[in-house]
Amino acid sequence: MYLLVGLGNPGPKYASNRHNIGFMAVDEIARQHNFSPWRRKFQGEVCEGQIGRHKALLLKPTTYMNESGRSVAEACRFYKIEPKDVFVYHDELDLAPGKVKAKLGGGVAGHNGLRSTGAHIGNDFHRVRLGIGHPGRDRVTQWVLGDFAKADRDWLEPLIDALAKSAPSLLAGDLGRFMTDFSHTLNPPVNGHKKARPENKAEQNQPDNSDKSVKSVKSDKGATPTSTSDAAPKNAMAEALKKLMSVKKDN
């Protein structure tokens, strides 16, 4: 059993906050992977299901961000889940909006939800860091508790979708593979491969010599293309002059 935790604050007041991007991520995972309905348990909301070949529990603590660890610890004790099998999705100020990184263990970087989780189960759990950008020290609180702007939907919705689609790779235990799959889902290759580089402009501007009506005629200055349509009248004129000269000789 794996535990995937989305960090955030409960209630409609906070639903669209940047701080709640973790809730958004696990909500989409539950939807895409057909999990059971959400129910209240472990001081949070939980649902169960299958991600690939792995059985998983999704959790959204309702203890508010600063006490998230109490909810996480209860779920871990009940299902006997080790910290290394816990994956926490959370907002990350130190990543640009739309950037994602995953790692096992590490510090809390001032994040109260991570600090609480670490205090209850230790720091050897996985973090899935979801970038929201940093507004500057004096504006952090209003930034994280502020709603995403409408313009943010352009990157937020594809990011949440890609996180859900690449969740099987995350639980497979290979973070590098997860990041690769996430990146390919978010920015799929064109026609299954990288877009070909444009041809050299000099090659593009060269004349098409495949036309059979153009022949190369030698001269002192090299090969010069000459059209057979231009040569035909000149040959006809030469023949006419020959006939005229022969007539004069006969006379």
Side-chain angles (χ1 to χ4, degrees):
M1 170 78 78
Y2 290 92
L3 176 62
L4 279 67
V5 182
L7 295 185
N9 290 309
K13 176 182 177 180
Y14 303 102
S16 299
N17 284 183
R18 294 179 180 87
H19 224 16
N20 274 41
I21 193 172
F23 275 16
M24 298 173 192
V26 295
D27 277 337
E28 184 62 15
I29 291 171
R31 188 190 71 80
Q32 285 195 23
H33 295 276
N34 300 311
F35 272 55
S36 66
W38 291 95
R39 69 184 191 278
R40 291 191 172 276
K41 197 172 184 179
F42 308 130
Q43 301 183 65
E45 295 182 2
V46 299
C47 62
E48 298 179 21
Q50 200 85 6
I51 298 178
R53 59 186 179 85
H54 304 289
K55 190 174 182 181
L57 179 76
L58 303 183
L59 170 65
K60 295 187 293 183
T62 54
T63 53
Y64 289 93
M65 184 69 80
N66 293 0
E67 297 292 336
S68 300
R70 292 195 285 116
S71 176
V72 176
E74 277 195 33
C76 287
R77 284 194 298 269
F78 185 87
Y79 286 103
K80 296 180 174 57
I81 300 173
E82 297 292 328
K84 65 181 178 60
D85 294 327
V86 176
F87 297 82
V88 177
Y89 292 79
H90 66 91
D91 58 303
E92 178 59 73
L93 286 165
D94 292 331
L95 287 179
K99 296 294 183 182
V100 171
K101 288 188 177 182
K103 67 176 183 176
L104 173 62
V108 299
H111 194 290
N112 290 332
L114 293 180
R115 180 179 289 108
S116 177
T117 300
H120 284 83
I121 69 169
N123 286 323
D124 295 329
F125 59 90
H126 287 85
R127 291 108 157 115
V128 183
R129 306 163 62 202
L130 312 177
I132 60 169
H134 203 302
R137 288 185 179 181
D138 298 335
R139 298 181 57 224
V140 168
T141 299
Q142 67 184 85
W143 180 256
V144 298
L145 294 180
D147 288 354
F148 282 107
K150 288 183 179 180
D152 291 325
R153 293 177 185 173
D154 291 342
W155 63 263
L156 180 60
E157 291 177 1
L159 179 142
I160 297 299
D161 175 70
L163 286 172
K165 284 184 169 61
S166 55
S169 299
L170 182 66
L171 299 191
D174 186 342
L175 296 184
R177 179 68 180 179
F178 161 68
M179 290 304 304
T180 298
D181 289 349
F182 168 77
S183 179
H184 285 175
T185 303
L186 192 63
N187 301 295
V190 178
N191 296 326
H193 53 76
K194 291 183 178 180
K195 189 175 180 181
R197 292 183 300 171
E199 294 179 0
N200 186 287
K201 288 184 178 181
E203 293 177 354
Q204 289 180 334
N205 293 332
Q206 286 181 353
D208 182 4
N209 291 329
S210 62
D211 187 352
K212 294 182 180 179
S213 66
V214 178
K215 296 181 179 179
S216 178
V217 179
K218 289 184 178 180
S219 71
D220 294 338
K221 295 182 180 180
T224 304
T226 304
S227 171
T228 56
S229 60
D230 292 336
K234 293 181 180 179
N235 292 338
M237 186 178 296
E239 290 296 326
L241 286 173
K242 286 181 180 179
K243 290 180 179 180
L244 181 60
M245 293 298 293
S246 63
V247 170
K248 287 184 177 180
K249 288 180 180 179
D250 293 340
N251 293 332

